[in-house]
Amino acid sequence: MVSPRTMAMMFSIALAVGALAASESSNKAVSSTAGGSIIPTGISSTTSAVSATLASSFTSAASSSATKPPTEASRSTLPISYYSFTPFPTPAQSAVSGGFPSSDPKNPPPVHSDLKIIPNFAPAWAVAYKKAKAKIANFTLEEKVNVTTGVGWMGGRCAGNIAAIEPIDGRGWPGLCLENSPLGVSPVDYATVFPAGINAAATWNRRLMRLRGLLIGREHVGKGVNVALGPMMNMGRQAQGGRNWEGFGADPFLSGEAAYETILGLQSAGVQACAKHYINNDQEHNRTTSSSDVDDRTQHEIYAQPFLRSVMAGLTSVMCSYNLINDTYACENDKMLNDVLKREFGFQGYVMSDWDATMSTLSAIAGLDMTMPGGIGLDVGDVGTSSSYFGGNLTAFVNNGTIPLSRIDDMATRILAGWYFLGQDAPSYPQVNFNIWNPYDDSTNGRVDVQDDHYKVVREIGAASTVLLKNDRGALPLKKPRSLVLIGNDAGPGRAGPNQFQDQGGSDGTLAVGWGSGSGDFTYLITPLEAIQARARQHRTSVSWLLDNFDLPMAGNVAIRQSAALVFINSDSGEGYITVNGNEGDRKNLTAWHGGDALVLAVAAQNNNTIVIVHSVGPLIVEPWIEHPNVTAVLWAGLPGSESGYSITEVLYGDWNPSGRLPYTIARNASDYPAHLVFGGDSTDIVKINYTEGLLIDYRHFDAKHIHPRFEFGFGLSYTSFHYTDMMISKMFDFARVQCDEISNWEAGNSTRITEGSSTALWLHEPAYRVTFSVENTGKVYGGDIPQLYVNFPPSSGEPPSVLKGFINVEVNPGQKVSVTITLSRHDLSIWDVADQGWRKPQGNIRLEIGASSRDIRLRGMLP
Ligand code: BGC
């Protein structure tokens, strides 16, 4: 959780900058490019009408300050206006047996194997909307506004709180508790710290992604949380991005699938998920004072993809981010909120602001439904007229005719619909039983233990996300070694336990999570030293250690004549409100922390079986030692959560045959990456972050520019070997038999038309092509493999050389050969046409590749 002090500092900066942004507001709001304009391109008739009214009424309304509540001008980048609001209609589609069943979010279709089942949540939303509308029918305006406005910083027991509506005349409603984090309920006691999002991605295993979501969801429900503030799905655009580890890596398809499964898991437990941070909040520096300038195609194909998949998972809430997008703040960005998210994706849930990311009352017009934590800046508990953009100001804007009541109805309905959608109206739904602001107060902390046996899944995901990068001379798995030495502070406990630094802002022991609001307080943390000793005892192995990284002579000495020397190194990062050793959230470089490179070299100089284990938030430059002949093996363990030691032990000893794959590229030089952190500007500047690399994020850039990475995206070794054969590609029977015109239109190479929910339509996402092939385990041990499907679009499409569009995990016995299928949807085979504002199949031949990584392609074929 963000500590009150650090948040105060953060917010006062944001406030100062916002004031400046407001003074420039008029040109920005009306003249910016796609993503920033209040008049979206390719708009529907509904949106056009709104925008036309906005534009025409801008001049007169903006100058009529007499009708403006006092706070409006302070940070807004929006013009003031009058408009009539019409909510977007619910996307209408019907259930189709087998492929598109009407689904209850508490009971979604199982994780797919061969046949992708696309859940249809529309009927469940319709029921929830009906209940929500009936509920607010008797609410007063103030009560509806209450539903949209947090109670203010520290105003309740949770990170964010919506106050209850008093039970007068049957109107009562218990309010909402919104709590961090994407890897578990935090900061509370008796809860589990799961592996970070980046580890979920590194498993490339949908079953484990779903299960992780489910168990995190159960813990939130058990604590009485209504909205879990995750998953986080910003892309790993810059390798140094401080919060990359909270998310799912550097590929939109992998991130999208991880987001989809995580949300299905979370919501099936009954908690509302919150997809964050929408959108382009990809670095921590200047996060409240930077504009991410992204072209429309890149936005659709890369950065919005995980959010699109989240909507398809029945997502109930989205958190808009701190930054600006093409010169307009994310939380008042009509293009991204109304036009893309609510209209094109057909999102039926609600948008909440990141904490103090609301910039104006008029954000409500641009699509913001809820302001969090409620006040402007660090107002504790008071969201009256002058201290919240919503609250009293929103009421005043309705009363003076600036914002129509129909919009407030829509906001409150969306919020209540999310609550009904997941059955949180059930009397049995747990009450909030913790207090993050006063954890030692027994009267508000019920100490409810929600951990169950979740440690087993934490351990499994920790093992399944570990990537074997190098394994020479059969160094791994360990075979009853005579002796082992563990070297490096990352092998052992921190000096004062696993929670010695507030919000995990620092570490001097093993690294199992990054820092910030996305982190967690450990109930316990099993270190590698503890787990390896326990395992080594079975073989009577002698174990010694050195947890000091800087005594290099001793590190060399203790390594001499040991059967293997295990060197543990790490690299940390987190949210920008905490700076650790000069790393202001983002990493200041891509080298190992605590002198890790020198430590590896000192040990490798003395021991010819040096095995390096890396706990890292993201890529590191490993060039100083990767080719050292005495470095026989490297395991990339990411941030495995509370069972860290057990997870790595299972992989080291071969109890788990490594099946993790890199969710990003590890480069040879930091400068090889396509995008870098942008610094500069003083607190009054809006810094420009130009996404000039466009579609060439991560491996797409290395491929296009012929740059050799050290370890490519999708790479990972196993203790066995796999052989792929018999690739067959076929067009599938259109089982849904809906929207046939759209299908023929697409097949003819025409773009889709934007309507409500057009980008999440069944015909676009149903399986359309089937790729079948065989995977044979040609080695000696049982193991899991992750065959990956890459699409090579024709050069005229403007796509990168190769893009991930499918993966599957398969477990095979030695000598066994299994047939597997990966399906492709029309959406997987489409590009976003900016001129047409629609998805289109590019003209020309489309080639499909099956590989063991993005560069280890084993089978090729052509789309029929
Ligand atoms: C973070 C969010 C978080 C919120 C509430 C913000 O600073 O960006 O991810 O959920 O605080 O703690």
Side-chain angles (χ1 to χ4, degrees):
M1 190 58 238
V2 185
S3 69
R5 216 176 124 257
T6 40
M7 277 299 253
M9 286 159 54
M10 186 172 94
F11 290 165
S12 57
I13 293 168
L15 212 63
V17 171
L20 181 99
S23 65
E24 303 171 348
S25 64
S26 50
N27 347 348
K28 277 188 181 152
V30 289
S31 66
S32 55
T33 50
S37 174
I38 198 144
I39 307 168
T41 50
I43 44 185
S44 70
S45 53
T46 311
T47 315
S48 309
V50 170
S51 301
T53 322
L54 274 169
S56 65
S57 60
F58 166 58
T59 324
S60 57
S63 53
S64 65
S65 56
T67 58
K68 265 191 291 178
T71 58
E72 180 52 31
S74 66
R75 291 198 291 186
S76 175
T77 57
L78 282 182
I80 220 163
S81 63
Y82 294 87
Y83 83 130
S84 56
F85 171 77
T86 315
F88 296 116
T90 304
Q93 290 192 325
S94 40
V96 178
S97 75
F100 189 58
S102 166
S103 301
D104 170 0
K106 304 270 287 287
N107 185 23
V111 176
H112 72 259
S113 50
D114 274 12
L115 184 63
K116 228 181 255 175
I117 297 173
I118 301 177
N120 174 13
F121 293 117
W125 274 117
V127 171
Y129 262 73
K130 204 170 163 200
K131 290 180 183 168
K133 281 183 178 153
K135 186 77 182 171
I136 68 158
N138 298 320
F139 280 12
T140 63
L141 171 61
E142 284 74 14
E143 285 168 339
K144 290 172 193 170
V145 166
N146 170 112
V147 172
T148 71
T149 310
V151 301
W153 182 238
M154 298 176 71
R157 293 194 203 173
C158 306
N161 306 271
I162 296 285
I165 306 282
E166 289 301 319
I168 303 168
D169 304 333
R171 298 202 297 267
W173 175 68
L176 296 174
C177 161
L178 297 77
E179 192 50 75
N180 289 308
S181 82
L183 54 68
V185 197
S186 184
V188 298
D189 48 19
Y190 295 101
T192 306
V193 173
F194 288 80
I198 198 68
N199 281 57
T203 66
W204 294 62
N205 182 316
R206 289 185 171 85
R207 177 184 70 84
L208 292 175
M209 291 168 180
R210 177 86 68 97
L211 190 54
R212 174 177 172 275
L214 174 71
L215 302 189
I216 292 175
R218 282 193 185 149
E219 296 206 4
H220 276 283
V221 171
K223 290 285 185 185
V225 175
N226 297 95
V227 186
L229 298 173
M232 134 72 189
M233 55 193 73
N234 294 124
M235 302 290 304
R237 176 176 179 259
Q238 304 95 333
Q240 288 164 249
R243 299 184 76 175
N244 288 0
W245 59 271
E246 292 184 46
F248 301 122
D251 176 83
F253 184 84
L254 179 62
S255 300
E257 297 315 286
Y260 176 80
E261 295 297 353
T262 304
I263 290 165
L264 287 179
L266 280 164
Q267 296 202 156
S268 63
V271 75
Q272 301 179 45
C274 176
K276 68 187 189 183
H277 310 85
Y278 190 72
I279 190 174
N280 309 124
N281 182 183
D282 303 315
Q283 70 169 53
E284 283 302 279
H285 275 91
N286 305 82
R287 70 175 177 174
T288 58
T289 57
S290 58
S291 177
S292 298
D293 291 353
V294 189
D295 69 87
D296 190 36
R297 178 167 176 186
T298 301
Q299 191 72 293
H300 274 84
E301 293 188 22
I302 309 282
Y303 298 94
Q305 167 71 13
F307 293 94
L308 179 151
R309 290 292 283 149
S310 300
V311 171
M312 292 182 68
L315 176 73
T316 40
S317 71
V318 166
M319 185 188 292
C320 52
S321 52
Y322 286 115
N323 53 291
L324 299 87
I325 304 143
N326 298 333
D327 290 338
T328 301
Y329 278 103
C331 290
E332 53 184 26
N333 198 305
D334 177 74
K335 169 74 183 172
M336 293 314 300
L337 300 181
N338 278 334
D339 196 42
V340 175
L341 182 66
K342 290 183 177 173
R343 184 169 66 111
E344 198 187 306
F345 294 179
F347 175 56
Q348 297 185 58
Y350 57 95
V351 178
M352 71 174 78
S353 69
D354 199 341
W355 268 230
D356 200 41
T358 304
M359 307 307 282
S360 61
T361 305
L362 286 174
S363 301
I365 291 179
L368 182 69
D369 301 300
M370 178 191 279
T371 189
M372 273 292 151
I376 298 171
L378 205 66
D379 281 332
V380 178
D382 170 19
V383 290
T385 307
S386 61
S387 58
S388 173
Y389 286 119
F390 283 13
N393 277 319
L394 190 55
T395 310
F397 267 48
V398 176
N399 286 333
N400 72 14
T402 309
I403 296 179
L405 181 60
S406 54
R407 174 64 188 122
I408 309 301
D409 286 345
D410 181 54
M411 293 157 78
T413 304
R414 284 171 175 270
I415 295 165
L416 284 176
W419 184 72
Y420 282 116
F421 185 65
L422 292 168
Q424 294 186 351
D425 54 320
S428 57
Y429 199 84
Q431 307 264 319
V432 179
N433 50 53
F434 62 91
N435 180 359
I436 61 163
W437 308 110
N438 196 353
Y440 301 111
D441 172 24
D442 284 333
S443 67
T444 51
N445 287 281
R447 319 280 176 219
V448 176
D449 183 358
V450 292
Q451 298 166 101
D452 204 338
D453 60 356
H454 299 168
Y455 69 91
K456 292 179 183 164
V457 173
V458 173
R459 184 184 302 188
E460 184 178 353
I461 296 174
S465 56
T466 299
V467 187
L468 178 63
L469 293 180
K470 179 175 179 181
N471 194 14
D472 287 355
R473 307 199 300 268
L476 291 177
L478 296 173
K479 295 159 202 79
K480 303 186 181 172
R482 178 186 57 78
S483 62
L484 286 177
V485 59
L486 278 60
I487 298 168
N489 64 359
D490 185 70
R495 271 184 312 158
N499 301 316
Q500 69 175 305
F501 300 98
Q502 168 91 32
D503 300 348
Q504 303 295 350
S507 98
D508 57 12
T510 196
L511 184 74
V513 286
W515 75 73
S517 65
S519 196
D521 279 4
F522 289 100
T523 307
Y524 65 91
L525 170 57
I526 304 295
T527 67
L529 175 59
E530 186 179 347
I532 291 172
Q533 283 211 82
R535 185 67 168 74
R537 189 179 57 187
Q538 292 177 23
H539 309 299
R540 310 293 197 251
T541 302
S542 309
V543 179
S544 55
W545 59 86
L546 174 71
L547 303 182
D548 177 349
N549 284 32
F550 295 100
D551 190 343
L552 298 181
M554 185 175 292
N557 281 341
V558 295
I560 293 172
R561 296 202 187 90
Q562 306 287 338
S563 311
L566 310 184
V567 188
F568 288 79
I569 64 173
N570 67 30
S571 172
D572 201 358
S573 73
E575 198 172 343
Y577 69 91
I578 300 176
T579 296
V580 181
N581 297 340
N583 297 272
E584 299 167 342
D586 302 314
R587 284 187 291 169
K588 60 184 177 187
N589 56 43
L590 293 180
T591 51
W593 280 36
H594 312 298
D597 292 335
L599 188 66
V600 173
L601 289 171
V603 174
Q606 302 298 338
N607 188 301
N608 67 2
N609 189 19
T610 297
I611 294 166
V612 182
I613 292 99
V614 186
H615 287 118
S616 178
V617 287
L620 281 186
I621 302 303
V622 295
E623 297 308 299
W625 44 264
I626 191 69
E627 286 187 3
H628 194 298
N630 288 350
V631 172
T632 49
V634 178
L635 281 171
W636 203 263
L639 301 172
S642 59
E643 295 279 312
S644 174
Y646 289 132
S647 300
I648 197 69
T649 304
E650 290 192 357
V651 177
L652 283 166
Y653 280 87
D655 303 338
W656 184 281
N657 187 350
S659 55
R661 302 288 182 259
L662 285 178
Y664 45 69
T665 299
I666 295 181
R668 288 168 191 256
N669 303 294
S671 58
D672 290 345
Y673 287 106
H676 303 277
L677 298 176
V678 174
F679 302 98
D682 58 34
S683 59
T684 56
D685 293 330
I686 299 294
V687 174
K688 287 282 192 188
I689 303 178
N690 290 309
Y691 284 44
T692 45
E693 75 289 354
L695 303 176
L696 299 182
I697 184 174
D698 201 73
Y699 65 95
R700 299 154 181 245
H701 161 82
F702 286 80
D703 292 350
K705 307 285 181 196
H706 308 290
I707 302 168
H708 287 291
R710 170 53 66 180
F711 296 111
E712 71 271 18
F713 174 81
F715 179 79
L717 300 169
S718 163
Y719 296 149
T720 186
S721 50
F722 299 98
H723 187 55
Y724 304 163
T725 49
D726 312 327
M727 182 184 192
M728 276 174 34
I729 308 170
S730 57
K731 194 172 169 186
M732 289 175 73
F733 169 67
D734 173 30
F735 64 84
R737 288 171 174 277
V738 290
Q739 295 176 295
C740 298
D741 293 352
E742 299 282 7
I743 295 174
S744 350
N745 190 49
W746 180 86
E747 284 178 345
N750 299 320
S751 301
T752 57
R753 293 179 301 266
I754 295 187
T755 54
E756 281 75 28
S758 55
S759 280
T760 50
L762 170 63
W763 75 267
L764 191 58
H765 291 273
E766 67 175 357
Y769 293 88
R770 187 196 303 272
V771 182
T772 307
F773 55 98
S774 299
V775 178
E776 185 179 358
N777 183 342
T778 48
K780 294 195 168 49
V781 289
Y782 167 85
D785 186 31
I786 319 277
Q788 300 155 36
L789 189 157
Y790 292 86
V791 174
N792 305 165
F793 286 104
S796 62
S797 66
E799 284 294 296
S802 171
V803 290
L804 180 78
K805 293 291 179 175
F807 62 87
I808 190 161
N809 68 294
V810 43
E811 284 147 40
V812 202
N813 283 312
Q816 193 194 0
K817 187 174 177 178
V818 297
S819 173
V820 291
T821 298
I822 297 177
T823 56
L824 287 167
S825 69
R826 296 180 186 89
H827 183 259
D828 294 331
L829 296 166
S830 298
I831 62 172
W832 179 255
D833 188 309
V834 176
D836 290 358
Q837 289 288 292
W839 296 103
R840 170 168 75 74
K841 180 186 179 195
Q843 299 290 341
N845 290 332
I846 297 179
R847 200 166 66 157
L848 306 181
E849 301 179 327
I850 299 292
S853 78
S854 60
R855 291 196 163 216
D856 182 2
I857 301 304
R858 311 264 181 95
L859 300 171
R860 290 190 167 83
M862 206 64 89
L863 194 78

